[in-house]
Amino acid sequence: MEFYRPRKVKTIEDEDIRFCLLGKVKDVGNGFFILSDETGDIKISSNFIVEKGSLVRVFCSRVGDEIFADFVQKMEGLDWDLWKRVESLYLRLL
């Protein structure tokens, strides 16, 4: 079974085909947006409507060098400190 591995922008590996990222939308263009997390920025091709400055989790697929948004989840109201603690525990299990 294939699932979306949680990643940071700088930890995406060549063999990652499906992964999810959590960050702020830095910029929005026609058919893409730039997602920023604490490790860097990445361009994601997307047909989803996202707002600049919003916090989102993006479930991504990679085809060649291009990254596509399969699904975008708005994360408004997220307790960021709690999220970081849970994430660190989860990443220990991987």
Side-chain angles (χ1 to χ4, degrees):
M1 177 199 288
E2 208 173 323
F3 65 98
Y4 294 87
R5 292 187 177 275
R7 294 287 188 225
K8 302 285 184 194
V9 170
K10 294 295 181 193
T11 64
I12 299 170
E13 300 174 4
D14 291 338
E15 58 270 1
D16 288 334
I17 295 174
R18 292 181 190 258
F19 52 91
C20 64
L21 300 166
L22 178 67
K24 283 198 173 186
V25 177
K26 187 175 183 179
D27 199 8
V28 178
N30 188 17
F32 74 93
F33 61 90
I34 305 296
L35 186 76
S36 180
D37 68 14
E38 62 269 11
T39 66
D41 300 341
I42 193 165
K43 180 180 178 181
I44 301 174
S45 297
S46 173
N47 292 324
F48 294 97
I49 297 172
V50 294
E51 295 177 12
K52 185 175 178 178
S54 62
L55 181 64
V56 295
R57 178 168 30 197
V58 185
F59 295 83
C60 304
S61 293
R62 183 201 325 243
V63 178
D65 290 335
E66 194 164 0
I67 296 172
F68 295 92
D70 296 333
F71 182 75
V72 176
Q73 180 182 19
K74 294 179 182 179
M75 301 298 286
E76 298 159 359
L78 175 72
D79 182 334
W80 187 250
D81 292 329
L82 179 60
W83 169 259
K84 297 304 284 178
R85 286 186 283 171
V86 170
E87 180 184 45
S88 69
L89 293 172
Y90 181 75
L91 291 175
R92 289 182 192 169
L93 297 174
L94 294 180

